Amino acid sequence: MFTLRSLTALAGAATLTLALTACGGDADTQRSGSEKAATGGEIGPDQICPDGTLAMGVEPFEDPKTLIPVYETLGKALGEELGCEVEVQISDTYVAEILAMQNGKLDIGQFGPLGYVFAQKQAGATPLASFAGEDGKVSSYTGGIWVPKDSPVKSVEDLAGTTLALSESGSTSGDAVPRKALIDAGIEKDVRAEYAGGHTEALLALVNGKVDAAEINSQTLASATAEGQFDESSFRQVWKSEPILNDPIAAGPNMTPEVSAAVQEALLNLPADAVAEIGEYLDFTPPAGKPALVAVTDDDYKPVAELAEALDLTTDDL
């Protein structure tokens, strides 16, 4: 029977918050994008950040301790563009970030594709931008299922009777996409799937021999290989998903269209070095000489919305 149980206990840590204050510079040479807009009679920092700060949430796709320094750079650069302080919060869970936006605690948030679908439905989120790849278009990644090199498993169908480590409930590539692959293969009731507590945890469950197979998306594969946690030559990929567009950064329901447009413009003006460290975890390389982020719309994430509908998912499944 297809069952889901926890491999590791989730830590009950409080949401981590970074107060990332915009750095000042020479007024004549380093004026922020919003300040320039204000001088032209357009919206300025007082309208974008009326209380002096803009709250931004980030999904917990890695250990918060790892994400804090990574997003410090993005927050600082965005603050310089907007002319106000950006407060970045690393959420405890996918659901926590959605609820924070629904309750007006977040102005903008970076969500996983599936998390965004529910943030749009439940919290009225509106996509603004996502991370660009080397070609200047929205970057993407893939889901995958891996087994030991000497495993008899050669395909998804062969996973019947095995134990499969998934990331955590609500993950696009670590939960929904591989589960759909099992359903399509007609073996969802014959695989014992276990939530490991995260992408890295699922990979390590395979490396340490705790499971027969594990979901390992291309993002985790790249970072784990670079950090020496995974020797690809000792394992084999038996399934790979279609490309999944990278995480959108979305505006909350309380943000006016004018403010949303100003924040989107600021995001599209961010330089490559502001997101380069994030690219090491989300498996993208910012384009040289082009915007580091590009605009996205609801239509870009329609395939993920259709996936959620096909699996009959609700926020209770996150």
Side-chain angles (χ1 to χ4, degrees):
M1 184 176 183
F2 186 79
T3 60
L4 296 173
R5 59 190 178 88
S6 176
L7 275 172
T8 57
L10 296 178
T15 300
L16 298 175
T17 302
L18 292 173
L20 306 178
T21 307
C23 292
D26 185 281
D28 294 327
T29 60
Q30 297 186 13
R31 298 164 63 201
S32 73
S34 59
E35 288 173 329
K36 294 174 183 177
T39 59
E42 298 180 13
I43 195 166
D46 289 344
Q47 291 77 40
I48 297 171
C49 315
D51 62 354
T53 64
L54 187 81
M56 176 179 176
V58 178
E59 59 167 325
F61 62 85
E62 281 285 348
D63 186 329
K65 292 180 181 178
T66 300
L67 296 181
I68 287 174
V70 171
Y71 278 88
E72 183 175 9
T73 303
L74 183 148
K76 178 180 177 181
L78 182 58
E80 290 175 344
E81 283 291 329
L82 294 174
C84 61
E85 180 181 334
V86 174
E87 182 183 76
V88 179
Q89 304 172 10
I90 309 299
S91 298
D92 292 329
T93 65
Y94 294 88
V95 174
E97 185 180 9
I98 294 171
L99 291 177
M101 179 168 281
Q102 183 181 21
N103 294 330
K105 300 296 180 63
L106 294 178
D107 299 304
I108 60 175
Q110 177 186 323
F111 296 92
L114 185 59
Y116 163 70
V117 168
F118 288 107
Q120 192 278 327
K121 290 182 178 180
Q122 184 170 322
T126 303
L128 300 177
S130 186
F131 304 98
E134 290 182 281
D135 60 0
K137 299 179 181 179
V138 182
S139 59
S140 63
Y141 63 104
T142 56
I145 296 177
W146 289 71
V147 298
K149 189 175 182 179
D150 59 359
S151 169
V153 176
K154 306 293 184 183
S155 66
V156 174
E157 289 76 12
D158 293 339
L159 288 169
T162 67
T163 301
L164 170 66
L166 298 178
S167 172
E168 59 185 315
S169 181
S171 171
T172 308
S173 61
D175 182 21
V177 172
R179 282 175 55 195
K180 183 62 163 57
L182 299 181
I183 292 172
D184 290 345
I187 61 168
E188 71 275 13
K189 295 181 180 180
D190 303 315
V191 176
R192 186 174 64 185
E194 304 179 344
Y195 287 132
H199 291 289
T200 300
E201 289 79 2
L203 177 146
L204 292 177
L206 178 63
V207 170
N208 295 326
K210 294 182 178 180
V211 293
D212 301 308
E215 73 79 16
I216 303 176
N217 68 20
S218 60
Q219 298 171 331
T220 303
L221 177 65
S223 59
T225 300
E227 294 170 3
Q229 293 181 313
F230 190 74
D231 179 5
E232 190 171 337
S233 66
S234 299
F235 300 88
R236 178 164 32 87
Q237 186 171 232
V238 297
W239 172 81
K240 182 179 179 179
S241 77
E242 293 296 321
I244 305 165
L245 291 189
N246 237 321
D247 298 2
I249 296 177
N254 296 327
M255 190 171 284
T256 66
E258 294 78 14
V259 172
S260 292
V263 173
Q264 182 181 51
E265 180 182 1
L267 288 168
L268 299 183
N269 283 333
L270 294 184
D273 59 7
V275 302
E277 290 182 277
I278 298 173
E280 295 178 10
Y281 290 92
L282 295 185
D283 194 24
F284 70 87
T285 300
K290 295 181 180 179
L293 290 95
V294 292
V296 290
T297 68
D298 272 333
D299 285 343
D300 292 315
Y301 296 93
K302 186 176 180 180
V304 182
E306 292 173 345
L307 172 65
E309 185 175 350
L311 292 175
D312 196 25
L313 298 178
T314 68
T315 49
D316 291 337
D317 297 299
L318 300 184

